[in-house]
Amino acid sequence: MSLRIDPFHAISVSALAHRLKAEGRSIIHMEFGQPSTGAPRAAIEAAHHVLDTDPMGYWESPALKARIAQHYQESYGVTVSPGQLTLTCGASPALVLALSSAFSPGDRVALARPGYVAYRNTLKALHIEPVELACGANERFQLSAERIAALDPAPAGVIIASPANPTGTIIPAAELEAIAKVCRERGIKIVSDEIYHGLSYVEPARSMLEFEPNAFVVNSFSKYFSMAGWRLGWLLSPPDHVQAAHAYMGALFLTPPSLAQHAALAAMDSREELEGHLQVYRANRALLLEALPRLGLGAIAPPDGAFYIYADVGHLTDDSLTFCKRLLQDTGVATAPGVDFDPVEGKRFIRMSFAVSTPEIQDAIARMEPWFAQAAGKPVV
Protein backbone atom coordinates (compact mmCIF):
# COMPACT_ATOMS: atom_id res chain seq x y z
CA MET A 1 0.00 0.00 0.00
CA SER A 2 1.32 3.43 -0.96
CA LEU A 3 1.47 5.84 1.96
CA ARG A 4 1.72 8.87 -0.33
CA ILE A 5 -0.77 11.55 0.72
CA ASP A 6 -2.35 13.19 -2.30
CA PRO A 7 -2.62 16.99 -2.36
CA PHE A 8 -6.00 18.69 -2.11
CA HIS A 9 -5.96 20.38 -5.51
CA ALA A 10 -8.88 22.69 -4.72
CA ILE A 11 -6.48 24.51 -2.39
CA SER A 12 -4.25 25.43 -5.34
CA VAL A 13 -7.32 26.62 -7.27
CA SER A 14 -8.32 28.75 -4.29
CA ALA A 15 -4.80 30.16 -3.98
CA LEU A 16 -4.97 31.22 -7.63
CA ALA A 17 -8.40 32.75 -7.00
CA HIS A 18 -7.05 34.84 -4.13
CA ARG A 19 -4.06 35.99 -6.23
CA LEU A 20 -6.42 37.10 -8.98
CA LYS A 21 -8.59 38.89 -6.43
CA ALA A 22 -5.53 40.71 -5.08
CA GLU A 23 -4.89 41.89 -8.64
CA GLY A 24 -8.33 43.47 -8.72
CA ARG A 25 -10.30 40.66 -10.38
CA SER A 26 -13.89 39.87 -9.36
CA ILE A 27 -13.90 36.29 -8.03
CA ILE A 28 -16.82 34.02 -7.17
CA HIS A 29 -15.69 31.32 -4.73
CA MET A 30 -17.44 28.04 -5.55
CA GLU A 31 -14.37 25.84 -4.96
CA PHE A 32 -14.76 25.04 -1.25
CA GLY A 33 -17.62 23.43 0.62
CA GLN A 34 -18.21 26.19 3.11
CA PRO A 35 -21.19 28.50 3.63
CA SER A 36 -20.65 32.12 2.65
CA THR A 37 -22.79 33.10 5.64
CA GLY A 38 -21.40 33.47 9.15
CA ALA A 39 -22.38 31.93 12.44
CA PRO A 40 -25.93 32.57 13.68
CA ARG A 41 -26.52 35.89 15.47
CA ALA A 42 -27.12 34.17 18.81
CA ALA A 43 -23.80 32.36 18.51
CA ILE A 44 -21.95 35.61 17.86
CA GLU A 45 -23.66 37.25 20.84
CA ALA A 46 -22.75 34.32 23.09
CA ALA A 47 -19.14 34.54 21.92
CA HIS A 48 -18.96 38.27 22.70
CA HIS A 49 -20.30 37.66 26.18
CA VAL A 50 -17.81 34.88 26.86
CA LEU A 51 -14.89 36.95 25.58
CA ASP A 52 -15.82 39.65 28.09
CA THR A 53 -16.43 37.39 31.08
CA ASP A 54 -14.50 34.10 30.80
CA PRO A 55 -10.71 33.59 30.56
CA MET A 56 -11.43 30.15 29.03
CA GLY A 57 -8.99 27.25 28.79
CA TYR A 58 -8.92 23.52 28.00
CA TRP A 59 -12.53 22.45 28.28
CA GLU A 60 -15.21 20.12 26.91
CA SER A 61 -18.68 21.54 27.44
CA PRO A 62 -21.06 19.20 29.28
CA ALA A 63 -23.99 21.41 28.28
CA LEU A 64 -23.11 21.18 24.58
CA LYS A 65 -22.72 17.40 24.74
CA ALA A 66 -26.12 17.12 26.41
CA ARG A 67 -27.67 19.37 23.76
CA ILE A 68 -26.19 17.29 20.93
CA ALA A 69 -27.55 14.12 22.56
CA GLN A 70 -30.96 15.83 22.71
CA HIS A 71 -30.60 16.62 18.99
CA TYR A 72 -30.32 12.90 18.16
CA GLN A 73 -33.52 12.19 20.07
CA GLU A 74 -35.40 15.08 18.47
CA SER A 75 -34.15 14.58 14.90
CA TYR A 76 -33.83 10.81 14.59
CA GLY A 77 -35.65 9.28 17.56
CA VAL A 78 -32.33 7.81 18.70
CA THR A 79 -31.24 7.78 22.35
CA VAL A 80 -27.53 8.35 22.91
CA SER A 81 -25.61 9.20 26.05
CA PRO A 82 -23.71 12.50 26.24
CA GLY A 83 -20.81 10.34 27.39
CA GLN A 84 -20.61 8.76 23.92
CA LEU A 85 -19.72 12.15 22.45
CA THR A 86 -16.23 13.50 21.94
CA LEU A 87 -16.06 17.15 20.96
CA THR A 88 -13.37 17.78 18.35
CA CYS A 89 -11.63 20.57 16.44
CA GLY A 90 -13.90 20.11 13.43
CA ALA A 91 -14.95 16.92 11.64
CA SER A 92 -11.42 16.10 10.43
CA PRO A 93 -10.09 15.17 13.90
CA ALA A 94 -13.37 13.32 14.53
CA LEU A 95 -12.58 11.16 11.49
CA VAL A 96 -9.05 10.56 12.82
CA LEU A 97 -10.46 9.51 16.20
CA ALA A 98 -13.04 7.19 14.63
CA LEU A 99 -10.53 5.42 12.41
CA SER A 100 -7.85 5.25 15.12
CA SER A 101 -10.15 3.79 17.76
CA ALA A 102 -12.02 1.41 15.43
CA PHE A 103 -9.19 -0.03 13.31
CA SER A 104 -5.57 -1.17 13.45
CA PRO A 105 -2.72 -0.60 10.98
CA GLY A 106 -3.09 -3.01 8.08
CA ASP A 107 -6.89 -3.19 8.30
CA ARG A 108 -8.89 -2.63 5.12
CA VAL A 109 -11.71 -0.07 4.97
CA ALA A 110 -14.07 0.25 2.01
CA LEU A 111 -15.37 3.55 0.68
CA ALA A 112 -17.05 4.96 -2.41
CA ARG A 113 -15.13 6.56 -5.25
CA PRO A 114 -15.81 9.48 -5.78
CA GLY A 115 -15.59 10.54 -2.17
CA TYR A 116 -14.13 13.20 0.06
CA VAL A 117 -10.35 13.38 -0.42
CA ALA A 118 -9.63 13.24 3.34
CA TYR A 119 -11.10 9.73 3.66
CA ARG A 120 -8.45 8.20 1.46
CA ASN A 121 -5.61 10.31 2.81
CA THR A 122 -6.49 9.87 6.49
CA LEU A 123 -6.70 6.10 6.05
CA LYS A 124 -3.28 6.09 4.39
CA ALA A 125 -1.78 8.30 7.09
CA LEU A 126 -3.00 5.83 9.73
CA HIS A 127 -1.58 2.87 7.77
CA ILE A 128 -5.08 1.56 7.05
CA GLU A 129 -5.69 0.34 3.51
CA PRO A 130 -8.43 2.20 1.60
CA VAL A 131 -10.53 -0.10 -0.59
CA GLU A 132 -12.07 2.31 -3.06
CA LEU A 133 -15.11 1.05 -4.95
CA ALA A 134 -15.94 2.82 -8.20
CA CYS A 135 -19.51 4.12 -7.93
CA GLY A 136 -20.87 5.76 -11.06
CA ALA A 137 -24.16 7.20 -12.22
CA ASN A 138 -25.85 3.79 -12.23
CA GLU A 139 -25.15 3.49 -8.48
CA ARG A 140 -25.99 7.16 -7.87
CA PHE A 141 -22.32 7.51 -6.89
CA GLN A 142 -22.97 5.67 -3.60
CA LEU A 143 -22.08 2.38 -1.93
CA SER A 144 -24.81 -0.22 -1.65
CA ALA A 145 -25.43 -3.23 0.54
CA GLU A 146 -24.97 -5.43 -2.54
CA ARG A 147 -21.49 -4.04 -3.24
CA ILE A 148 -20.44 -4.46 0.39
CA ALA A 149 -21.81 -8.01 0.53
CA ALA A 150 -19.76 -8.92 -2.57
CA LEU A 151 -16.42 -7.86 -1.07
CA ASP A 152 -14.18 -10.88 -0.54
CA PRO A 153 -12.62 -10.88 1.95
CA ALA A 154 -14.84 -8.66 4.06
CA PRO A 155 -13.14 -5.38 5.00
CA ALA A 156 -12.73 -4.39 8.64
CA GLY A 157 -14.85 -1.32 8.05
CA VAL A 158 -16.73 0.90 5.66
CA ILE A 159 -17.12 4.68 5.41
CA ILE A 160 -20.61 5.87 4.49
CA ALA A 161 -21.46 9.48 3.61
CA SER A 162 -25.04 10.67 3.12
CA PRO A 163 -25.43 13.38 1.86
CA ALA A 164 -22.12 12.80 0.15
CA ASN A 165 -19.26 15.03 -0.89
CA PRO A 166 -18.74 15.75 -3.81
CA THR A 167 -22.05 14.53 -5.21
CA GLY A 168 -24.73 15.51 -2.70
CA THR A 169 -26.44 12.14 -3.10
CA ILE A 170 -28.48 10.74 -0.20
CA ILE A 171 -28.71 7.02 0.59
CA PRO A 172 -32.40 6.09 1.07
CA ALA A 173 -33.50 4.68 4.43
CA ALA A 174 -34.13 1.18 3.05
CA GLU A 175 -30.59 1.03 1.64
CA LEU A 176 -29.04 2.29 4.88
CA GLU A 177 -30.93 -0.44 6.71
CA ALA A 178 -29.67 -3.04 4.22
CA ILE A 179 -26.08 -1.77 4.59
CA ALA A 180 -26.35 -2.00 8.38
CA LYS A 181 -27.65 -5.57 8.13
CA VAL A 182 -24.86 -6.72 5.80
CA CYS A 183 -22.21 -5.08 7.99
CA ARG A 184 -23.58 -6.73 11.14
CA GLU A 185 -23.61 -10.13 9.47
CA ARG A 186 -20.05 -9.75 8.20
CA GLY A 187 -18.53 -8.05 11.25
CA ILE A 188 -17.83 -4.79 9.39
CA LYS A 189 -17.63 -1.61 11.47
CA ILE A 190 -19.43 1.45 10.06
CA VAL A 191 -18.11 5.01 10.10
CA SER A 192 -20.92 7.34 9.01
CA ASP A 193 -20.03 10.88 7.94
CA GLU A 194 -23.17 12.94 8.60
CA ILE A 195 -21.60 16.38 8.29
CA TYR A 196 -24.17 17.54 5.70
CA HIS A 197 -27.23 16.52 7.70
CA GLY A 198 -29.79 19.31 7.74
CA LEU A 199 -28.96 20.21 4.14
CA SER A 200 -31.49 18.13 2.16
CA TYR A 201 -33.74 19.05 -0.76
CA VAL A 202 -35.62 15.86 -1.64
CA GLU A 203 -35.98 13.97 1.63
CA PRO A 204 -34.45 14.26 5.09
CA ALA A 205 -31.18 12.38 5.50
CA ARG A 206 -31.45 9.52 7.96
CA SER A 207 -28.79 8.77 10.54
CA MET A 208 -27.02 5.43 10.40
CA LEU A 209 -27.67 5.24 14.16
CA GLU A 210 -31.32 4.54 13.36
CA PHE A 211 -30.25 1.24 11.81
CA GLU A 212 -26.94 0.47 13.51
CA PRO A 213 -26.56 1.82 17.08
CA ASN A 214 -22.90 0.77 17.13
CA ALA A 215 -21.91 2.94 14.18
CA PHE A 216 -19.29 5.67 14.58
CA VAL A 217 -20.87 8.99 13.57
CA VAL A 218 -18.88 12.05 12.52
CA ASN A 219 -20.52 15.47 12.40
CA SER A 220 -19.64 19.14 12.61
CA PHE A 221 -20.89 22.69 13.05
CA SER A 222 -19.20 23.70 9.78
CA LYS A 223 -21.97 23.10 7.24
CA TYR A 224 -25.60 23.40 8.39
CA PHE A 225 -24.63 25.58 11.36
CA SER A 226 -22.47 27.83 9.13
CA MET A 227 -19.51 27.79 11.54
CA ALA A 228 -16.64 26.40 9.42
CA GLY A 229 -14.06 28.81 10.81
CA TRP A 230 -14.93 28.00 14.42
CA ARG A 231 -13.43 24.51 14.02
CA LEU A 232 -15.84 22.44 16.06
CA GLY A 233 -17.22 18.98 15.44
CA TRP A 234 -18.00 15.76 17.24
CA LEU A 235 -17.62 12.02 17.16
CA LEU A 236 -20.32 9.75 18.53
CA SER A 237 -18.73 6.41 19.42
CA PRO A 238 -20.18 3.03 20.43
CA PRO A 239 -19.95 2.64 24.23
CA ASP A 240 -17.04 0.17 24.09
CA HIS A 241 -14.92 2.58 22.00
CA VAL A 242 -15.58 5.80 23.92
CA GLN A 243 -12.52 5.48 26.17
CA ALA A 244 -10.20 4.99 23.19
CA ALA A 245 -11.71 7.99 21.35
CA HIS A 246 -11.28 10.20 24.42
CA ALA A 247 -7.69 9.01 24.83
CA TYR A 248 -6.79 9.82 21.23
CA MET A 249 -8.48 13.21 21.48
CA GLY A 250 -6.62 14.17 24.63
CA ALA A 251 -3.26 12.94 23.37
CA LEU A 252 -3.47 14.40 19.85
CA PHE A 253 -5.66 17.49 20.12
CA LEU A 254 -6.35 18.23 23.82
CA THR A 255 -9.75 19.94 23.51
CA PRO A 256 -11.61 21.96 20.89
CA PRO A 257 -11.72 25.78 21.22
CA SER A 258 -13.67 26.88 24.30
CA LEU A 259 -15.10 29.93 22.52
CA ALA A 260 -16.49 27.78 19.72
CA GLN A 261 -18.22 25.48 22.20
CA HIS A 262 -20.04 28.38 23.87
CA ALA A 263 -21.11 29.74 20.49
CA ALA A 264 -22.22 26.33 19.19
CA LEU A 265 -24.57 25.80 22.12
CA ALA A 266 -26.41 28.99 21.13
CA ALA A 267 -26.29 28.01 17.43
CA MET A 268 -28.18 24.79 18.08
CA ASP A 269 -31.29 26.79 18.96
CA SER A 270 -31.02 29.16 15.98
CA ARG A 271 -33.05 26.96 13.63
CA GLU A 272 -35.14 29.71 12.06
CA GLU A 273 -32.05 31.59 10.90
CA LEU A 274 -30.32 28.40 9.73
CA GLU A 275 -33.37 27.24 7.80
CA GLY A 276 -33.22 30.60 6.03
CA HIS A 277 -29.74 29.67 4.79
CA LEU A 278 -31.14 26.37 3.53
CA GLN A 279 -33.76 28.21 1.51
CA VAL A 280 -30.99 30.25 -0.15
CA TYR A 281 -29.16 27.05 -1.06
CA ARG A 282 -32.41 25.59 -2.38
CA ALA A 283 -32.91 28.62 -4.66
CA ASN A 284 -29.27 28.46 -5.81
CA ARG A 285 -29.62 24.76 -6.59
CA ALA A 286 -32.71 25.42 -8.67
CA LEU A 287 -30.96 28.16 -10.65
CA LEU A 288 -28.00 25.90 -11.43
CA LEU A 289 -30.16 22.92 -12.38
CA GLU A 290 -32.05 25.14 -14.80
CA ALA A 291 -28.84 26.63 -16.27
CA LEU A 292 -26.60 23.55 -16.53
CA PRO A 293 -28.16 22.19 -19.76
CA ARG A 294 -27.40 25.56 -21.41
CA LEU A 295 -23.78 25.06 -20.36
CA GLY A 296 -23.79 21.61 -21.92
CA LEU A 297 -23.55 19.98 -18.50
CA GLY A 298 -26.37 17.48 -18.66
CA ALA A 299 -24.61 14.63 -16.85
CA ILE A 300 -24.54 15.45 -13.13
CA ALA A 301 -24.85 13.55 -9.88
CA PRO A 302 -28.25 14.04 -8.22
CA PRO A 303 -27.73 16.92 -5.72
CA ASP A 304 -30.16 15.54 -3.13
CA GLY A 305 -28.42 17.33 -0.28
CA ALA A 306 -25.26 19.20 0.77
CA PHE A 307 -24.55 22.13 -1.59
CA TYR A 308 -22.70 20.69 -4.56
CA ILE A 309 -23.07 20.01 -8.25
CA TYR A 310 -20.76 17.23 -9.48
CA ALA A 311 -20.74 17.59 -13.25
CA ASP A 312 -19.22 15.52 -16.05
CA VAL A 313 -17.04 17.70 -18.31
CA GLY A 314 -15.44 14.75 -20.11
CA HIS A 315 -16.59 16.11 -23.47
CA LEU A 316 -14.40 19.16 -22.85
CA THR A 317 -11.34 17.90 -21.01
CA ASP A 318 -9.43 14.97 -19.56
CA ASP A 319 -7.61 17.20 -17.06
CA SER A 320 -10.06 18.66 -14.55
CA LEU A 321 -7.40 20.58 -12.61
CA THR A 322 -6.20 22.48 -15.68
CA PHE A 323 -9.82 22.95 -16.71
CA CYS A 324 -10.76 24.54 -13.36
CA LYS A 325 -7.78 26.87 -13.46
CA ARG A 326 -8.60 27.96 -17.02
CA LEU A 327 -12.24 28.52 -16.10
CA LEU A 328 -11.13 30.61 -13.13
CA GLN A 329 -8.64 32.68 -15.12
CA ASP A 330 -11.12 33.38 -17.91
CA THR A 331 -14.31 33.97 -15.89
CA GLY A 332 -13.37 34.54 -12.25
CA VAL A 333 -15.47 31.53 -11.19
CA ALA A 334 -13.54 29.15 -8.91
CA THR A 335 -14.56 25.47 -8.88
CA ALA A 336 -12.99 22.23 -7.58
CA PRO A 337 -11.40 19.60 -9.85
CA GLY A 338 -12.98 16.16 -9.71
CA VAL A 339 -9.56 14.52 -9.45
CA ASP A 340 -9.57 15.52 -5.77
CA PHE A 341 -12.49 13.18 -5.14
CA ASP A 342 -11.75 10.46 -7.67
CA PRO A 343 -8.13 9.92 -8.78
CA VAL A 344 -9.31 7.64 -11.61
CA GLU A 345 -12.46 9.08 -13.19
CA GLY A 346 -12.31 12.52 -11.59
CA LYS A 347 -10.18 13.93 -14.38
CA ARG A 348 -13.42 14.44 -16.29
CA PHE A 349 -15.53 15.96 -13.47
CA ILE A 350 -15.74 19.28 -11.65
CA ARG A 351 -17.53 20.22 -8.43
CA MET A 352 -19.35 23.50 -7.91
CA SER A 353 -20.44 24.64 -4.46
CA PHE A 354 -23.66 26.64 -4.39
CA ALA A 355 -23.27 27.74 -0.74
CA VAL A 356 -22.83 31.35 -1.87
CA SER A 357 -25.36 34.16 -2.26
CA THR A 358 -28.04 33.96 -4.94
CA PRO A 359 -26.72 37.07 -6.76
CA GLU A 360 -23.32 35.36 -6.94
CA ILE A 361 -24.90 32.26 -8.46
CA GLN A 362 -26.70 34.40 -11.04
CA ASP A 363 -23.44 36.19 -11.84
CA ALA A 364 -21.52 32.92 -12.10
CA ILE A 365 -24.05 31.51 -14.56
CA ALA A 366 -23.86 34.67 -16.69
CA ARG A 367 -20.06 34.42 -16.77
CA MET A 368 -19.90 30.69 -17.48
CA GLU A 369 -22.56 30.45 -20.16
CA PRO A 370 -20.55 32.07 -23.01
CA TRP A 371 -17.35 30.43 -21.78
CA PHE A 372 -18.82 26.91 -21.95
CA ALA A 373 -20.37 27.69 -25.34
CA GLN A 374 -16.92 28.60 -26.64
CA ALA A 375 -15.33 25.56 -24.98
CA ALA A 376 -17.86 23.28 -26.71
CA GLY A 377 -16.42 24.37 -30.06
CA LYS A 378 -12.83 24.05 -28.90
CA PRO A 379 -12.16 21.75 -25.92
CA VAL A 380 -10.13 23.42 -23.20
CA VAL A 381 -7.55 20.64 -22.88
Side-chain angles (χ1 to χ4, degrees):
M1 177 182 65
S2 171
L3 294 179
R4 183 175 65 89
I5 301 301
D6 301 313
F8 195 179
H9 295 292
I11 293 176
S12 67
V13 174
S14 188
L16 174 59
H18 284 285
R19 286 199 300 272
L20 293 174
K21 185 175 182 178
E23 294 169 6
R25 292 281 304 277
S26 170
I27 302 299
I28 302 174
H29 288 282
M30 300 170 67
E31 75 273 31
F32 284 151
Q34 61 182 18
S36 60
T37 51
R41 288 186 298 273
I44 298 294
E45 291 169 3
H48 278 297
H49 175 73
V50 169
L51 283 171
D52 291 337
T53 61
D54 188 340
M56 295 179 283
Y58 301 129
W59 179 61
E60 194 177 27
S61 169
L64 180 57
K65 292 169 75 171
R67 182 63 184 84
I68 294 172
Q70 178 185 338
H71 161 71
Y72 280 96
Q73 182 64 55
E74 294 172 344
S75 299
Y76 310 109
V78 170
T79 299
V80 300
S81 164
Q84 290 177 251
L85 289 156
T86 306
L87 300 179
T88 60
C89 311
S92 297
L95 179 65
V96 171
L97 300 188
L99 298 178
S100 298
S101 55
F103 308 112
S104 299
D107 281 347
R108 300 164 66 252
V109 172
L111 61 159
R113 177 172 56 78
Y116 181 43
V117 61
Y119 301 153
R120 180 189 333 118
N121 283 338
T122 305
L123 287 166
K124 287 182 178 180
L126 295 172
H127 299 265
I128 300 167
E129 181 181 352
V131 180
E132 295 190 283
L133 303 179
C135 298
N138 291 338
E139 297 87 14
R140 300 184 76 256
F141 301 91
Q142 281 282 14
L143 290 181
S144 65
E146 182 180 7
R147 292 292 299 278
I148 297 170
L151 290 173
D152 186 21
V158 63
I159 297 175
I160 301 294
S162 174
N165 178 9
T167 61
T169 52
I170 288 176
I171 302 176
E175 190 62 37
L176 284 176
E177 185 174 20
I179 289 171
K181 182 174 184 292
V182 166
C183 289
R184 271 196 306 273
E185 292 171 347
R186 306 196 73 196
I188 301 171
K189 295 186 178 74
I190 298 173
V191 176
S192 182
D193 183 352
E194 301 182 1
I195 191 173
Y196 294 100
H197 275 220
L199 301 174
S200 303
Y201 311 103
V202 294
E203 61 183 85
R206 303 286 291 273
S207 175
M208 180 55 81
L209 290 175
E210 298 177 60
F211 311 102
E212 177 46 72
N214 286 317
F216 293 80
V217 174
V218 172
N219 210 325
S220 167
F221 287 90
S222 294
K223 310 301 182 179
Y224 176 78
F225 292 98
S226 196
M227 295 178 66
W230 295 76
R231 308 314 303 133
L232 185 64
W234 71 84
L235 172 66
L236 203 158
S237 303
D240 58 345
H241 287 80
V242 168
Q243 187 174 354
H246 285 340
Y248 277 112
M249 180 64 195
L252 298 178
F253 308 107
L254 289 179
T255 65
S258 295
L259 186 65
Q261 296 179 66
H262 286 290
L265 183 59
M268 293 204 74
D269 292 313
S270 300
R271 295 288 172 164
E272 183 176 352
E273 183 177 348
L274 296 169
E275 287 297 308
H277 297 169
L278 179 61
Q279 295 314 310
V280 172
Y281 305 151
R282 188 184 300 278
N284 293 350
R285 173 181 178 271
L287 285 170
L288 281 171
L289 291 179
E290 190 273 332
L292 288 174
R294 300 199 303 271
L295 275 59
L297 303 182
I300 66 169
D304 304 329
F307 32 55
Y308 303 121
I309 298 289
Y310 194 60
D312 190 338
V313 293
H315 58 298
L316 301 175
T317 188
D318 62 357
D319 183 349
S320 59
L321 177 57
T322 297
F323 184 91
C324 287
K325 290 183 176 180
R326 185 72 58 81
L327 173 64
L328 170 59
Q329 289 168 330
D330 292 349
T331 69
V333 178
T335 58
V339 72
D340 270 338
F341 313 100
D342 183 342
V344 180
E345 300 295 333
K347 60 188 179 182
R348 43 184 278 265
F349 284 84
I350 65 170
R351 189 197 72 178
M352 305 178 189
S353 168
F354 51 84
V356 295
S357 70
T358 298
E360 285 177 303
I361 290 291
Q362 293 168 327
D363 190 5
I365 291 170
R367 297 185 194 190
M368 291 191 294
E369 206 166 335
W371 189 87
F372 273 91
Q374 183 178 26
K378 183 180 180 183
V380 174
V381 179

